[in-house]
Amino acid sequence: MRPRPPILSARSSPKADKNQGRVHTRFPPEPNGYLHIGHAKSICLNFGLAAECGGKCNLRFDDTNPSKEDVEYVESIKNDVRWLGFDWQDREFYASDYFEQLYEFAIRFIKAGQAYVCDLTGEQMREYRGTLTEPGKNSPFRDRSVAENLALFERMRAGEFSDGSRTLRAKIDMASPNINMRDPVMYRVLRAQHHRTGDKWCIYPTYDFAHGQSDSIEGITHSICTLEFEDHRPLYDWYLDQLGIHHPQQIEFARLKLTHTALSKRKLLQLVQQKLVSGWDDPRMPTLAGMRRRGYSPEAIRVFCERIGVAKRNSIVEIAMLEHCLREDLNRRAGRVMAVLRPLKVVLENYPEGQVEELEAVNNPEDASMGTRKVPFSRVLYIERDDFREEPPKGFFRLSPGKEVRLRYAYIIKCIEAVKDPDSGVVTELRCTYDSETRSGSSPGQRKVKATIHWVSTAHALGAEARLYDHLFIKEDPDDVPEGTDWLANLNPNSLEVIKDARVEPFLKNARKGELYQFERLGYFCVDSVDSAGAVIFNRAVTLRDTWAKFEKSAKAEKKR
Ligand code: ATP
Ligand code: MG
């Protein structure tokens, strides 16, 4: 037998070996929202463990709360799991497929005197439940006879009672130190159209009652869930032990938390509903749909999930680490091109009018097989407005009056004059000269200048829209807000900057949706796959500066000392 990954033996349990080494996991999303990077961690873990151990992993929709669920979510979830690179083959299951079986299980509990129909309202139930320090009180309906409970439960199913008026509860122990064991609700009355069962049911099992039994029905061996469910484990075990059916082992791990990011579906839904983002696939969203549109590849996300690892202790991962994984991936894959986001016109006074040179540019210095391309050069160019300073501060080596700079793949140019708008004083054009002896790669031993900048030829460049993204939340922890305000107060008002009149080199004329490029010196950009505004739209996936790599380097240096 292959050695077990540590998480599968995280808890010594007599049950651990009863499956003869078989490993069968499941990924159990509730179809009430789109998947996010936290779910990716769970997907990689569940599918990854199964693959590693020669086992299987099911996709199971945990659809027991019809009021919040929708087929749109089911479809997006399937699409995202597939996109991440995992295959559940023919094992696509739904908790709702087991509603009849779960109902039968509930009847068994009633017949065994272990469940009763309770008429307490939600509020009364909370009063009876007690607190962490005080035991609860028995419900006045706890001692109903088996016959009465069976009759009432049947009438609950038949739709004779209003929503919320009655529940079926497990009869366990109202004095248990674990609140989950204080007669938990198994079924509630709820009239809602279910996306699969329609209006067949008006009672629905709770998560706790449905989950373990669904695991058991599917023959799951390891039911991996997040740490919040540790306190639910005794209940998970209790239901299965009482029923005496196949008993999977529940194992908990820490959920992913990321700085500057909200990873609760409730919050993400609120952002979508209040139109604070453009939708579930807004490139600022931590959803897989948003990340894909932003330029993340499945590989980058899988590498990230592998690096963060799985632990039993809650911790917060720096978003810089996720961005680092994306950069690493794109550095390898993305072709380099030149684009100017904030154009400033440059006229080369001594360059012949009408002349065009086709300069050779390398597509990817990391990957020679990506070849080269031609970039047109002419008398009138655009450079980045930021690359010129009329009064350069100390250490500024780019263009300024009287100074020289190299144009990438082209010549050294010198700024002669900055032409300004007489009213506003804004620089509108630079008059420059070029040194014809300095064409890139033309002669070795050429003179050098301190900076190289990117450019495009005005007559040849294409107009483009660039969307620059920043973190959605200003604070590392979105919930860190002063009293009296909520997490939305931490939304970053500058998380999206739209640049309508960027210019890109003509090579990008045929750029296709979803394609990725490095705009030299600016960042990695992905052709938007949803919007089209005439001009091509580029989403900035990530900037070039890598704070995580720097952090790692200094941490290593620290260790050495
Ligand atoms: P929320 O509470 O925000 O609705 P959830 O955990 O209830 O999220 P589910 O659709 O039930 O959402 O999640 C499916 C699976 O993904 C569960 O097994 C859950 O433990 C796991 N999961 C959800 N969020 C994270 C996260 N941030 N990190 C790791 N796993 C997660
Ligand atoms: Mg859940």
Side-chain angles (χ1 to χ4, degrees):
M1 207 170 86
R2 298 179 225 204
R4 278 299 173 80
I7 184 166
L8 295 187
S9 46
R11 189 159 59 93
S12 67
S13 154
K15 300 177 197 100
D17 277 318
K18 70 170 186 174
N19 302 302
Q20 291 90 37
R22 189 171 67 88
V23 171
H24 199 152
T25 56
R26 84 285 170 270
F27 171 63
E30 187 183 345
N32 62 353
Y34 280 58
L35 296 182
H36 54 59
I37 181 73
H39 292 113
K41 176 177 177 181
S42 175
I43 295 168
C44 291
L45 181 59
N46 279 294
F47 280 92
L49 282 173
E52 206 177 316
C53 301
K56 290 177 179 160
C57 179
N58 295 356
L59 175 62
R60 182 196 321 137
F61 290 95
D62 193 354
D63 54 350
T64 53
N65 191 5
S67 52
K68 294 193 172 154
E69 295 160 5
D70 199 282
V71 277
E72 176 195 347
Y73 300 135
V74 171
E75 291 310 316
S76 76
I77 289 169
K78 288 201 279 187
N79 187 35
D80 287 346
V81 175
R82 234 179 263 125
W83 175 75
L84 254 193
F86 298 103
D87 183 5
W88 56 92
Q89 294 162 325
D90 57 350
R91 295 180 307 280
E92 176 180 327
F93 300 124
Y94 294 80
S96 56
D97 293 341
Y98 312 136
F99 281 172
E100 200 64 54
Q101 171 78 71
L102 293 169
Y103 182 82
E104 292 303 317
F105 285 148
I107 300 278
R108 273 164 68 178
F109 278 99
I110 296 173
K111 286 186 174 162
Q114 289 173 317
Y116 61 97
V117 173
C118 182
D119 303 359
L120 292 181
T121 63
E123 195 174 327
Q124 288 169 324
M125 221 185 281
R126 266 190 296 283
E127 281 164 25
Y128 275 75
R129 193 184 296 136
T131 64
L132 285 172
T133 50
E134 279 168 52
K137 287 183 300 187
N138 283 353
S139 159
F141 306 98
R142 201 172 198 258
D143 294 321
R144 278 176 162 153
S145 69
V146 168
E148 190 183 1
N149 282 321
L150 283 174
L152 282 172
F153 188 48
E154 202 168 303
R155 289 173 61 197
M156 273 171 69
R157 178 179 182 168
E160 290 187 31
F161 307 122
S162 61
D163 285 13
S165 63
R166 280 188 162 89
T167 55
L168 181 73
R169 298 176 68 179
K171 198 191 267 190
I172 308 180
D173 178 7
M174 288 306 293
S176 169
N178 183 338
I179 292 184
N180 294 303
M181 300 299 275
R182 294 182 189 170
D183 291 11
V185 171
M186 298 161 70
Y187 270 89
R188 63 222 197 273
V189 180
L190 176 67
R191 281 171 185 78
Q193 190 74 15
H194 189 284
H195 60 101
R196 282 175 70 82
T197 57
D199 53 10
K200 176 164 184 221
W201 293 88
C202 63
I203 55 172
Y204 289 95
T206 54
Y207 170 86
D208 280 322
F209 187 64
H211 200 83
Q213 279 61 259
S214 301
D215 282 345
S216 176
I217 292 168
E218 291 176 15
I220 299 304
T221 58
H222 302 83
S223 177
I224 299 167
C225 61
T226 45
L227 277 180
E228 320 85 81
F229 290 97
E230 203 164 14
D231 290 344
H232 294 240
R233 197 199 313 139
L235 181 57
Y236 182 99
D237 290 339
W238 189 85
Y239 283 131
L240 294 169
D241 285 340
Q242 302 310 312
L243 288 168
I245 55 179
H246 166 70
H247 194 144
Q249 180 187 359
Q250 177 178 310
I251 299 172
E252 305 86 16
F253 72 103
R255 68 167 46 226
L256 171 67
K257 288 194 184 136
L258 262 185
T259 57
H260 300 286
T261 309
L263 287 183
S264 130
K265 278 193 277 186
R266 186 180 56 77
K267 285 183 177 155
L268 298 181
L269 178 66
Q270 199 177 334
L271 292 174
V272 172
Q273 285 180 335
Q274 296 188 14
K275 301 204 185 316
L276 297 166
V277 294
S278 67
W280 285 102
D281 65 351
D282 186 303
R284 290 167 293 177
M285 291 281 269
T287 53
L288 297 183
M291 293 171 75
R292 174 166 60 236
R293 188 170 164 193
R294 173 110 170 218
Y296 275 86
S297 65
E299 293 83 357
I301 295 175
R302 291 202 305 260
V303 164
F304 170 74
C305 290
E306 200 169 296
R307 289 204 185 140
I308 56 175
V310 276
K312 277 264 173 194
R313 214 157 34 90
N314 277 312
S315 64
I316 300 183
V317 176
E318 295 281 339
I319 194 161
M321 187 182 165
L322 178 62
E323 291 167 351
H324 173 75
C325 293
L326 176 58
R327 262 184 217 104
E328 229 178 36
D329 179 52
L330 295 182
N331 181 45
R332 232 176 288 126
R333 291 193 300 124
R336 275 59 169 168
V337 292
M338 290 196 285
V340 174
L341 296 182
R342 298 172 185 85
L344 174 60
K345 195 167 165 188
V346 167
V347 178
L348 303 178
E349 294 187 334
N350 60 340
Y351 195 87
E353 298 227 26
Q355 178 171 310
V356 178
E357 281 176 86
E358 296 281 335
L359 305 177
E360 177 138 299
V362 174
N363 286 334
N364 188 347
E366 302 288 319
D367 181 358
S369 75
M370 287 175 71
T372 60
R373 68 184 186 287
K374 300 284 188 207
V375 186
F377 183 85
S378 67
R379 185 169 192 265
V380 186
L381 312 169
Y382 285 125
I383 63 163
E384 208 69 60
R385 194 162 270 281
D386 278 356
D387 284 334
F388 172 78
R389 290 288 177 85
E390 199 174 11
E391 284 160 34
K394 199 164 174 285
F396 184 91
F397 298 118
R398 291 166 277 167
L399 208 53
S400 54
K403 293 281 160 52
E404 285 187 322
V405 77
R406 173 171 285 286
L407 296 179
R408 179 90 161 129
Y409 301 117
Y411 300 94
I412 292 176
I413 63 168
K414 182 178 198 165
C415 179
I416 307 300
E417 185 200 350
V419 181
K420 290 185 196 171
D421 180 288
D423 298 329
S424 64
V426 172
V427 175
T428 53
E429 181 180 310
L430 302 179
R431 309 296 295 187
C432 300
T433 54
Y434 88 112
D435 179 347
S436 61
E437 302 297 304
T438 59
R439 183 166 157 173
S440 272
S442 60
S443 63
Q446 238 177 49
R447 67 197 178 90
K448 288 205 164 62
V449 288
K450 280 203 165 126
T452 300
I453 63 174
H454 59 274
W455 52 274
V456 294
S457 164
T458 310
H460 303 89
L462 309 170
E465 177 174 324
R467 297 179 180 172
L468 312 184
Y469 302 104
D470 197 355
H471 302 146
L472 202 42
F473 294 92
I474 303 172
K475 293 246 182 84
E476 287 203 351
D477 176 4
D479 286 321
D480 175 15
V481 279
E483 254 185 62
T485 52
D486 72 359
W487 59 284
L488 290 175
N490 277 333
L491 269 182
N492 178 2
N494 304 314
S495 61
L496 168 62
E497 182 187 353
V498 179
I499 294 179
K500 291 274 184 195
D501 52 358
R503 299 288 198 286
V504 300
E505 62 173 87
F507 178 73
L508 291 175
K509 184 168 69 227
N510 299 319
R512 285 191 308 270
K513 290 181 171 187
E515 265 180 359
L516 282 144
Y517 293 95
Q518 185 194 97
F519 288 0
E520 294 208 29
R521 300 177 62 232
L522 296 173
Y524 292 98
F525 287 74
C526 179
V527 181
D528 194 71
S529 49
V530 177
D531 295 340
S532 49
V536 189
I537 299 170
F538 290 94
N539 294 312
R540 186 174 68 195
V542 68
T543 56
L544 293 178
R545 204 183 51 239
D546 194 341
T547 46
W548 181 253
K550 272 193 208 136
F551 170 79
E552 272 193 319
K553 237 187 215 164
S554 64
K556 263 187 207 153
E558 193 69 25
K559 256 191 197 161
K560 268 194 193 151
R561 274 204 281 146

